Amino acid sequence: MKNKTLEEFSLETASSEPVPGGGSIAAYSGALSAALSEMVANLTVGKKKYEDVEEEMKLILDKSEMIRVKMLDNIEKDCEAFDKVMAGFKLPKNTEEEKTHRTKMIQESLVAAAEIPLEIAKEAFEIMPLAEIVIEKGNKNAVTDGLVSAMLARTAVLSALLNVKINLNSIKDEDYVEKTRKIVENLEKMAVEKEKEILNKSPLK
Amino acid sequence: MKNKTLEEFSLETASSEPVPGGGSIAAYSGALSAALSEMVANLTVGKKKYEDVEEEMKLILDKSEMIRVKMLDNIEKDCEAFDKVMAGFKLPKNTEEEKTHRTKMIQESLVAAAEIPLEIAKEAFEIMPLAEIVIEKGNKNAVTDGLVSAMLARTAVLSALLNVKINLNSIKDEDYVEKTRKIVENLEKMAVEKEKEILNKSPLK
Protein backbone atom coordinates (compact mmCIF):
# COMPACT_ATOMS: atom_id res chain seq x y z
CA MET A 1 0.00 0.00 0.00
CA LYS A 2 2.87 2.38 0.80
CA ASN A 3 4.09 1.86 -2.78
CA LYS A 4 0.94 3.37 -4.26
CA THR A 5 1.30 6.89 -5.62
CA LEU A 6 -0.41 9.76 -3.84
CA GLU A 7 -2.87 9.97 -6.72
CA GLU A 8 -3.65 6.22 -6.74
CA PHE A 9 -4.11 6.12 -2.97
CA SER A 10 -6.54 9.05 -3.06
CA LEU A 11 -8.42 7.46 -5.95
CA GLU A 12 -8.71 4.09 -4.21
CA THR A 13 -9.87 5.81 -1.04
CA ALA A 14 -12.54 7.67 -3.01
CA SER A 15 -13.86 4.49 -4.66
CA SER A 16 -16.67 2.36 -3.27
CA GLU A 17 -14.16 -0.34 -2.31
CA PRO A 18 -14.18 -0.46 1.49
CA VAL A 19 -10.38 -0.24 1.81
CA PRO A 20 -8.42 1.90 2.17
CA GLY A 21 -10.73 3.70 4.57
CA GLY A 22 -10.51 6.00 7.57
CA GLY A 23 -8.10 3.73 9.48
CA SER A 24 -5.52 3.69 6.71
CA ILE A 25 -5.89 7.42 6.22
CA ALA A 26 -5.29 7.87 9.95
CA ALA A 27 -2.10 5.82 9.60
CA TYR A 28 -0.82 7.88 6.68
CA SER A 29 -1.73 11.11 8.45
CA GLY A 30 0.41 9.80 11.30
CA ALA A 31 3.26 9.04 8.91
CA LEU A 32 3.16 12.58 7.50
CA SER A 33 2.87 14.08 10.97
CA ALA A 34 5.98 12.18 12.07
CA ALA A 35 7.73 13.22 8.82
CA LEU A 36 7.13 16.91 9.57
CA SER A 37 8.61 16.75 13.08
CA GLU A 38 11.50 14.77 11.59
CA MET A 39 11.98 17.51 8.98
CA VAL A 40 12.20 20.25 11.60
CA ALA A 41 14.74 18.18 13.58
CA ASN A 42 16.68 17.61 10.33
CA LEU A 43 16.71 21.37 9.72
CA THR A 44 18.05 21.92 13.24
CA VAL A 45 20.89 19.41 13.66
CA GLY A 46 24.34 20.53 12.57
CA LYS A 47 23.47 24.23 12.91
CA LYS A 48 25.77 26.31 15.12
CA LYS A 49 22.84 28.39 16.38
CA TYR A 50 21.13 25.27 17.71
CA GLU A 51 24.10 23.32 19.05
CA ASP A 52 22.67 23.33 22.58
CA VAL A 53 19.77 21.16 21.42
CA GLU A 54 21.76 18.98 19.01
CA GLU A 55 21.47 15.78 21.08
CA GLU A 56 17.78 16.29 21.80
CA MET A 57 17.08 16.81 18.09
CA LYS A 58 18.97 13.65 17.19
CA LEU A 59 16.77 11.69 19.59
CA ILE A 60 13.73 13.21 17.91
CA LEU A 61 15.08 12.18 14.51
CA ASP A 62 15.31 8.57 15.69
CA LYS A 63 11.90 8.51 17.31
CA SER A 64 10.02 10.27 14.52
CA GLU A 65 11.62 8.08 11.86
CA MET A 66 10.65 4.95 13.77
CA ILE A 67 7.05 6.12 14.07
CA ARG A 68 6.93 7.17 10.39
CA VAL A 69 8.11 3.74 9.23
CA LYS A 70 5.64 1.92 11.51
CA MET A 71 2.78 4.12 10.32
CA LEU A 72 3.54 3.37 6.67
CA ASP A 73 3.16 -0.35 7.47
CA ASN A 74 0.00 0.31 9.46
CA ILE A 75 -1.76 1.52 6.30
CA GLU A 76 -1.59 -2.04 4.98
CA LYS A 77 -2.28 -3.70 8.33
CA ASP A 78 -5.52 -1.75 8.73
CA CYS A 79 -6.68 -2.84 5.26
CA GLU A 80 -5.86 -6.48 6.03
CA ALA A 81 -7.72 -6.38 9.34
CA PHE A 82 -10.78 -4.95 7.63
CA ASP A 83 -10.63 -7.59 4.88
CA LYS A 84 -10.57 -10.30 7.54
CA VAL A 85 -13.76 -8.99 9.12
CA MET A 86 -15.41 -8.99 5.68
CA ALA A 87 -14.18 -12.56 5.08
CA GLY A 88 -15.69 -13.62 8.41
CA PHE A 89 -19.10 -12.35 7.42
CA LYS A 90 -18.91 -14.37 4.21
CA LEU A 91 -18.38 -17.71 6.03
CA PRO A 92 -21.21 -20.26 5.66
CA LYS A 93 -23.88 -20.41 8.35
CA ASN A 94 -25.96 -23.45 7.43
CA THR A 95 -25.26 -25.72 10.42
CA GLU A 96 -24.98 -24.91 14.11
CA GLU A 97 -21.30 -25.79 13.90
CA GLU A 98 -20.78 -23.39 10.99
CA LYS A 99 -22.66 -20.67 12.84
CA THR A 100 -20.52 -21.08 15.95
CA HIS A 101 -17.34 -21.05 13.91
CA ARG A 102 -18.47 -18.00 11.91
CA THR A 103 -19.32 -16.01 15.04
CA LYS A 104 -15.97 -16.93 16.59
CA MET A 105 -14.06 -15.87 13.47
CA ILE A 106 -15.97 -12.58 13.18
CA GLN A 107 -15.45 -11.77 16.85
CA GLU A 108 -11.72 -12.50 16.65
CA SER A 109 -11.32 -10.42 13.51
CA LEU A 110 -13.24 -7.53 15.07
CA VAL A 111 -10.87 -7.47 18.04
CA ALA A 112 -7.90 -7.42 15.64
CA ALA A 113 -9.61 -4.66 13.62
CA ALA A 114 -9.96 -2.63 16.83
CA GLU A 115 -6.42 -3.31 18.05
CA ILE A 116 -4.71 -1.98 14.91
CA PRO A 117 -6.28 1.49 14.91
CA LEU A 118 -5.75 1.57 18.69
CA GLU A 119 -2.05 0.99 18.05
CA ILE A 120 -2.11 3.71 15.35
CA ALA A 121 -3.74 6.12 17.81
CA LYS A 122 -1.18 5.39 20.54
CA GLU A 123 1.74 5.83 18.15
CA ALA A 124 0.32 9.02 16.65
CA PHE A 125 -0.06 10.41 20.16
CA GLU A 126 3.66 9.77 20.68
CA ILE A 127 4.39 12.30 17.93
CA MET A 128 2.79 15.17 19.86
CA PRO A 129 5.58 15.64 22.44
CA LEU A 130 8.10 15.46 19.58
CA ALA A 131 6.25 18.19 17.69
CA GLU A 132 6.12 20.25 20.87
CA ILE A 133 9.89 20.07 21.33
CA VAL A 134 10.73 20.96 17.71
CA ILE A 135 8.35 23.93 17.89
CA GLU A 136 9.92 25.20 21.11
CA LYS A 137 13.57 24.42 20.49
CA GLY A 138 14.00 23.59 16.80
CA ASN A 139 14.78 25.72 13.76
CA LYS A 140 12.50 28.77 14.00
CA ASN A 141 12.16 28.98 10.22
CA ALA A 142 10.33 25.67 10.21
CA VAL A 143 7.96 26.34 13.09
CA THR A 144 4.86 26.04 10.89
CA ASP A 145 5.94 22.53 9.92
CA GLY A 146 6.05 21.60 13.61
CA LEU A 147 2.58 23.07 14.13
CA VAL A 148 1.17 21.17 11.14
CA SER A 149 2.79 18.03 12.58
CA ALA A 150 0.90 18.53 15.86
CA MET A 151 -2.44 19.12 14.11
CA LEU A 152 -2.04 16.08 11.89
CA ALA A 153 -1.09 13.95 14.89
CA ARG A 154 -4.30 15.00 16.65
CA THR A 155 -6.34 14.12 13.56
CA ALA A 156 -4.53 10.78 13.22
CA VAL A 157 -5.26 9.91 16.88
CA LEU A 158 -8.94 10.89 16.74
CA SER A 159 -9.49 9.28 13.34
CA ALA A 160 -7.92 6.02 14.42
CA LEU A 161 -9.98 6.02 17.63
CA LEU A 162 -13.21 6.43 15.66
CA ASN A 163 -12.29 3.21 13.90
CA VAL A 164 -11.68 1.53 17.25
CA LYS A 165 -15.09 2.68 18.50
CA ILE A 166 -17.03 1.47 15.49
CA ASN A 167 -15.55 -2.01 15.98
CA LEU A 168 -16.21 -1.99 19.72
CA ASN A 169 -19.91 -1.57 18.92
CA SER A 170 -19.95 -5.11 17.47
CA ILE A 171 -17.64 -6.86 19.95
CA LYS A 172 -19.37 -9.10 22.48
CA ASP A 173 -16.53 -9.53 24.98
CA GLU A 174 -17.75 -6.99 27.53
CA ASP A 175 -14.56 -6.90 29.57
CA TYR A 176 -12.52 -6.11 26.46
CA VAL A 177 -15.01 -3.47 25.34
CA GLU A 178 -15.12 -1.75 28.73
CA LYS A 179 -11.35 -1.76 29.14
CA THR A 180 -10.78 -0.48 25.61
CA ARG A 181 -13.43 2.23 25.85
CA LYS A 182 -11.60 3.69 28.80
CA ILE A 183 -8.32 3.78 26.89
CA VAL A 184 -10.10 5.39 23.92
CA GLU A 185 -11.71 8.08 26.04
CA ASN A 186 -8.44 8.93 27.74
CA LEU A 187 -6.48 9.10 24.51
CA GLU A 188 -9.14 11.27 22.87
CA LYS A 189 -9.06 13.71 25.73
CA MET A 190 -5.29 13.81 25.91
CA ALA A 191 -4.85 14.33 22.16
CA VAL A 192 -7.32 17.22 22.05
CA GLU A 193 -5.76 18.89 25.11
CA LYS A 194 -2.20 18.36 23.96
CA GLU A 195 -2.90 19.86 20.55
CA LYS A 196 -4.48 22.94 22.17
CA GLU A 197 -1.49 23.30 24.47
CA ILE A 198 0.92 23.06 21.53
CA LEU A 199 -1.01 25.46 19.28
CA ASN A 200 -1.06 27.99 22.11
CA LYS A 201 2.72 28.09 21.84
CA SER A 202 2.53 29.17 18.20
CA PRO A 203 4.46 32.37 17.53
CA LEU A 204 2.05 33.02 14.63
CA LYS A 205 -1.04 34.77 15.89
CA MET B 1 4.63 15.24 -6.97
CA LYS B 2 1.32 13.34 -7.02
CA ASN B 3 3.16 10.50 -8.77
CA LYS B 4 5.47 9.92 -5.80
CA THR B 5 4.66 6.88 -3.69
CA LEU B 6 3.32 7.36 -0.17
CA GLU B 7 6.67 6.17 1.17
CA GLU B 8 8.75 8.51 -1.04
CA PHE B 9 6.56 11.49 -0.23
CA SER B 10 6.89 10.88 3.52
CA LEU B 11 10.64 10.42 3.15
CA GLU B 12 11.08 13.63 1.17
CA THR B 13 8.95 15.51 3.67
CA ALA B 14 11.13 14.20 6.51
CA SER B 15 14.37 15.27 4.83
CA SER B 16 16.07 18.61 5.36
CA GLU B 17 15.03 19.71 1.86
CA PRO B 18 12.56 22.57 2.37
CA VAL B 19 9.92 21.08 0.05
CA PRO B 20 7.57 19.35 0.36
CA GLY B 21 6.63 21.11 3.59
CA GLY B 22 3.52 21.97 5.56
CA GLY B 23 1.74 23.57 2.61
CA SER B 24 2.00 20.48 0.43
CA ILE B 25 0.99 18.27 3.34
CA ALA B 26 -2.05 20.50 3.83
CA ALA B 27 -2.93 20.00 0.15
CA TYR B 28 -2.63 16.22 0.36
CA SER B 29 -4.63 16.15 3.60
CA GLY B 30 -7.28 18.05 1.66
CA ALA B 31 -7.12 15.51 -1.17
CA LEU B 32 -7.61 12.62 1.26
CA SER B 33 -10.38 14.46 3.09
CA ALA B 34 -12.22 14.97 -0.20
CA ALA B 35 -11.57 11.31 -1.10
CA LEU B 36 -13.25 10.11 2.10
CA SER B 37 -16.43 12.14 1.54
CA GLU B 38 -16.38 10.91 -2.06
CA MET B 39 -16.09 7.33 -0.78
CA VAL B 40 -19.13 7.66 1.49
CA ALA B 41 -21.13 9.14 -1.41
CA ASN B 42 -19.95 6.27 -3.62
CA LEU B 43 -21.12 3.78 -0.99
CA THR B 44 -24.53 5.49 -0.95
CA VAL B 45 -25.51 5.96 -4.60
CA GLY B 46 -27.37 3.12 -6.26
CA LYS B 47 -28.62 1.73 -2.93
CA LYS B 48 -32.40 1.25 -2.59
CA LYS B 49 -32.30 2.29 1.07
CA TYR B 50 -30.83 5.66 0.14
CA GLU B 51 -32.72 6.43 -3.06
CA ASP B 52 -34.19 9.61 -1.55
CA VAL B 53 -30.73 11.17 -1.38
CA GLU B 54 -29.43 9.72 -4.67
CA GLU B 55 -29.27 13.07 -6.50
CA GLU B 56 -27.70 14.88 -3.56
CA MET B 57 -25.02 12.18 -3.28
CA LYS B 58 -24.26 12.44 -6.99
CA LEU B 59 -23.67 16.17 -6.57
CA ILE B 60 -21.31 15.41 -3.69
CA LEU B 61 -19.45 12.91 -5.88
CA ASP B 62 -18.86 15.62 -8.48
CA LYS B 63 -17.81 18.28 -6.01
CA SER B 64 -15.54 16.10 -3.91
CA GLU B 65 -13.83 14.66 -6.97
CA MET B 66 -13.19 18.16 -8.32
CA ILE B 67 -11.66 19.24 -5.02
CA ARG B 68 -9.57 16.06 -4.74
CA VAL B 69 -8.09 16.56 -8.21
CA LYS B 70 -7.32 20.23 -7.53
CA MET B 71 -5.70 19.38 -4.22
CA LEU B 72 -3.42 16.82 -5.83
CA ASP B 73 -2.17 19.55 -8.17
CA ASN B 74 -1.80 21.98 -5.29
CA ILE B 75 0.89 19.77 -3.71
CA GLU B 76 3.15 20.65 -6.64
CA LYS B 77 2.03 24.29 -6.85
CA ASP B 78 2.95 24.90 -3.23
CA CYS B 79 6.44 23.44 -3.77
CA GLU B 80 6.95 25.62 -6.87
CA ALA B 81 5.85 28.77 -5.06
CA PHE B 82 8.29 28.06 -2.24
CA ASP B 83 11.11 27.40 -4.70
CA LYS B 84 10.44 30.79 -6.32
CA VAL B 85 10.82 32.58 -2.99
CA MET B 86 14.12 30.78 -2.43
CA ALA B 87 15.26 31.74 -5.94
CA GLY B 88 14.42 35.39 -5.22
CA PHE B 89 16.67 35.42 -2.16
CA LYS B 90 19.53 34.10 -4.28
CA LEU B 91 19.38 37.01 -6.78
CA PRO B 92 22.44 39.32 -6.85
CA LYS B 93 22.37 42.49 -4.75
CA ASN B 94 25.53 44.36 -5.75
CA THR B 95 24.05 47.46 -7.40
CA GLU B 96 21.06 49.60 -6.44
CA GLU B 97 19.29 48.36 -9.55
CA GLU B 98 19.92 44.73 -8.60
CA LYS B 99 18.72 45.38 -5.06
CA THR B 100 15.47 46.97 -6.28
CA HIS B 101 14.87 44.12 -8.72
CA ARG B 102 15.63 41.51 -6.03
CA THR B 103 13.24 43.07 -3.52
CA LYS B 104 10.52 43.27 -6.16
CA MET B 105 10.97 39.61 -7.13
CA ILE B 106 10.99 38.43 -3.52
CA GLN B 107 7.86 40.43 -2.68
CA GLU B 108 6.01 39.11 -5.72
CA SER B 109 6.99 35.53 -4.97
CA LEU B 110 5.91 35.91 -1.33
CA VAL B 111 2.44 37.03 -2.40
CA ALA B 112 2.20 34.02 -4.72
CA ALA B 113 3.43 31.78 -1.89
CA ALA B 114 0.65 33.16 0.33
CA GLU B 115 -2.05 32.91 -2.33
CA ILE B 116 -1.56 29.20 -2.97
CA PRO B 117 -2.07 27.97 0.61
CA LEU B 118 -4.95 30.47 0.89
CA GLU B 119 -6.55 28.76 -2.09
CA ILE B 120 -5.85 25.35 -0.48
CA ALA B 121 -7.52 26.52 2.75
CA LYS B 122 -10.60 27.83 0.92
CA GLU B 123 -10.99 24.62 -1.06
CA ALA B 124 -10.46 22.41 1.99
CA PHE B 125 -13.15 24.37 3.80
CA GLU B 126 -15.53 23.53 0.92
CA ILE B 127 -15.20 19.85 1.86
CA MET B 128 -16.70 20.39 5.32
CA PRO B 129 -20.34 20.84 4.21
CA LEU B 130 -19.93 17.79 1.95
CA ALA B 131 -18.66 15.72 4.88
CA GLU B 132 -21.59 16.98 6.97
CA ILE B 133 -24.13 15.82 4.39
CA VAL B 134 -22.61 12.35 3.91
CA ILE B 135 -22.51 11.89 7.70
CA GLU B 136 -26.16 12.89 8.07
CA LYS B 137 -27.66 11.32 4.98
CA GLY B 138 -25.12 8.91 3.52
CA ASN B 139 -24.47 5.20 4.09
CA LYS B 140 -24.51 4.69 7.86
CA ASN B 141 -21.86 1.96 7.65
CA ALA B 142 -19.33 4.52 6.46
CA VAL B 143 -20.08 7.25 8.99
CA THR B 144 -16.57 7.11 10.48
CA ASP B 145 -15.12 7.85 7.04
CA GLY B 146 -17.25 11.00 6.86
CA LEU B 147 -16.08 12.04 10.33
CA VAL B 148 -12.43 11.48 9.41
CA SER B 149 -13.06 13.54 6.27
CA ALA B 150 -14.29 16.45 8.41
CA MET B 151 -11.31 16.27 10.79
CA LEU B 152 -8.80 16.11 7.96
CA ALA B 153 -10.49 19.05 6.24
CA ARG B 154 -10.13 21.13 9.40
CA THR B 155 -6.45 20.20 9.65
CA ALA B 156 -5.93 21.00 5.96
CA VAL B 157 -7.55 24.44 6.38
CA LEU B 158 -5.60 25.37 9.52
CA SER B 159 -2.32 23.99 8.18
CA ALA B 160 -2.63 25.87 4.92
CA LEU B 161 -3.50 29.07 6.80
CA LEU B 162 -0.36 28.79 8.94
CA ASN B 163 1.58 28.85 5.70
CA VAL B 164 -0.31 31.93 4.59
CA LYS B 165 0.48 33.67 7.88
CA ILE B 166 4.18 32.94 7.82
CA ASN B 167 4.40 34.56 4.39
CA LEU B 168 2.31 37.55 5.42
CA ASN B 169 4.96 38.30 8.05
CA SER B 170 7.42 39.18 5.27
CA ILE B 171 5.08 40.95 2.83
CA LYS B 172 5.38 44.75 2.75
CA ASP B 173 2.14 45.59 0.93
CA GLU B 174 0.13 46.61 3.99
CA ASP B 175 -3.24 46.69 2.26
CA TYR B 176 -2.74 43.14 0.99
CA VAL B 177 -1.57 41.96 4.41
CA GLU B 178 -4.48 43.52 6.26
CA LYS B 179 -7.06 42.24 3.80
CA THR B 180 -5.60 38.74 3.81
CA ARG B 181 -5.25 38.57 7.61
CA LYS B 182 -9.00 39.17 7.90
CA ILE B 183 -9.76 36.34 5.48
CA VAL B 184 -7.36 34.06 7.38
CA GLU B 185 -8.92 34.83 10.77
CA ASN B 186 -12.42 34.24 9.45
CA LEU B 187 -11.55 30.96 7.78
CA GLU B 188 -9.73 29.71 10.88
CA LYS B 189 -12.71 30.45 13.07
CA MET B 190 -15.19 28.95 10.64
CA ALA B 191 -13.18 25.75 10.15
CA VAL B 192 -12.81 25.14 13.89
CA GLU B 193 -16.52 25.83 14.54
CA LYS B 194 -17.72 23.78 11.60
CA GLU B 195 -15.65 20.76 12.64
CA LYS B 196 -17.05 20.94 16.19
CA GLU B 197 -20.58 21.18 14.81
CA ILE B 198 -19.99 18.15 12.58
CA LEU B 199 -18.32 16.02 15.27
CA ASN B 200 -21.24 16.74 17.58
CA LYS B 201 -23.44 14.91 15.08
CA SER B 202 -21.35 11.76 15.44
CA PRO B 203 -23.43 8.73 16.40
CA LEU B 204 -20.27 7.28 18.02
CA LYS B 205 -19.97 8.58 21.53
Side-chain angles (χ1 to χ4, degrees), chain B residues 130-148:
Chain B
L130 308 183
E132 190 173 24
I133 295 170
V134 297
I135 290 164
E136 290 188 307
K137 303 182 184 174
N139 191 323
K140 291 284 163 245
N141 295 328
V143 70
T144 55
D145 300 298
L147 293 163
V148 175

Side-chain angles (χ1 to χ4, degrees), chain A residues 107-170:
Chain A
Q107 284 298 313
E108 280 177 15
S109 65
L110 281 168
V111 171
E115 285 294 312
I116 286 165
L118 186 60
E119 191 57 35
I120 294 171
K122 285 177 184 169
E123 278 164 18
F125 184 68
E126 296 295 313
I127 306 166
M128 302 188 92
L130 309 182
E132 189 173 25
I133 296 170
V134 298
I135 290 165
E136 288 188 309
K137 304 183 184 173
N139 192 321
K140 291 284 164 244
N141 295 328
V143 70
T144 55
D145 300 299
L147 294 164
V148 175
S149 172
M151 288 195 284
L152 258 184
R154 172 257 194 198
T155 290
V157 173
L158 300 184
S159 301
L161 292 178
L162 277 175
N163 286 275
V164 178
K165 290 200 273 186
I166 196 124
N167 287 311
L168 288 183
N169 283 350
S170 310

Side-chain angles (χ1 to χ4, degrees), chain A residues 3-8, chain B residues 1-6 8 76:
Chain A
N3 296 321
K4 302 263 180 201
T5 70
L6 299 182
E7 189 171 27
E8 284 165 356
Chain B
M1 199 53 86
K2 66 187 176 187
N3 297 320
K4 303 262 181 205
T5 69
L6 299 182
E8 284 165 356
E76 187 76 35

Side-chain angles (χ1 to χ4, degrees), chain B residues 139-179:
Chain B
N139 191 323
K140 291 284 163 245
N141 295 328
V143 70
T144 55
D145 300 298
L147 293 163
V148 175
S149 171
M151 290 195 282
L152 258 183
R154 172 257 194 195
T155 290
V157 173
L158 299 184
S159 302
L161 292 177
L162 278 174
N163 285 276
V164 178
K165 290 200 274 186
I166 196 122
N167 287 310
L168 289 183
N169 284 350
S170 310
I171 294 174
K172 288 170 184 164
D173 177 345
E174 285 178 20
D175 288 347
Y176 175 80
V177 171
E178 199 191 338
K179 185 192 75 183

Side-chain angles (χ1 to χ4, degrees), chain A residues 15-162:
Chain A
S15 81
S16 61
E17 290 300 312
V19 294
S24 295
I25 305 292
Y28 195 54
S29 301
L32 291 177
S33 165
L36 283 164
S37 281
E38 198 178 340
M39 173 188 174
V40 186
N42 260 320
L43 288 165
T44 309
V45 294
K47 292 226 161 53
K48 188 102 190 109
K49 191 177 165 190
Y50 297 101
E51 62 185 354
D52 287 353
V53 294
E54 179 88 7
E55 290 313 309
E56 205 171 355
M57 289 295 146
K58 281 184 181 165
L59 277 177
I60 287 178
L61 277 185
D62 288 346
K63 282 190 196 170
S64 53
E65 192 194 357
M66 211 173 63
I67 297 174
R68 179 169 55 77
V69 170
K70 266 196 209 168
M71 287 294 192
L72 285 169
D73 291 329
N74 283 334
I75 305 170
E76 187 75 36
K77 280 188 191 163
D78 191 75
C79 293
E80 286 168 1
F82 191 89
D83 285 339
K84 261 194 193 152
V85 177
M86 290 295 107
F89 278 104
K90 282 178 191 152
L91 287 173
K93 46 178 175 175
N94 302 312
T95 66
E96 278 311 305
E97 205 181 8
E98 278 179 358
K99 278 183 196 164
T100 310
H101 176 69
R102 181 174 175 270
T103 303
K104 186 172 169 275
M105 292 320 254
I106 292 174
Q107 284 298 313
E108 280 177 15
S109 65
L110 281 168
V111 171
E115 285 294 312
I116 286 165
L118 186 60
E119 191 57 35
I120 294 171
K122 285 177 184 169
E123 278 164 18
F125 184 68
E126 296 295 313
I127 306 166
M128 302 188 92
L130 309 182
E132 189 173 25
I133 296 170
V134 298
I135 290 165
E136 288 188 309
K137 304 183 184 173
N139 192 321
K140 291 284 164 244
N141 295 328
V143 70
T144 55
D145 300 299
L147 294 164
V148 175
S149 172
M151 288 195 284
L152 258 184
R154 172 257 194 198
T155 290
V157 173
L158 300 184
S159 301
L161 292 178
L162 277 175

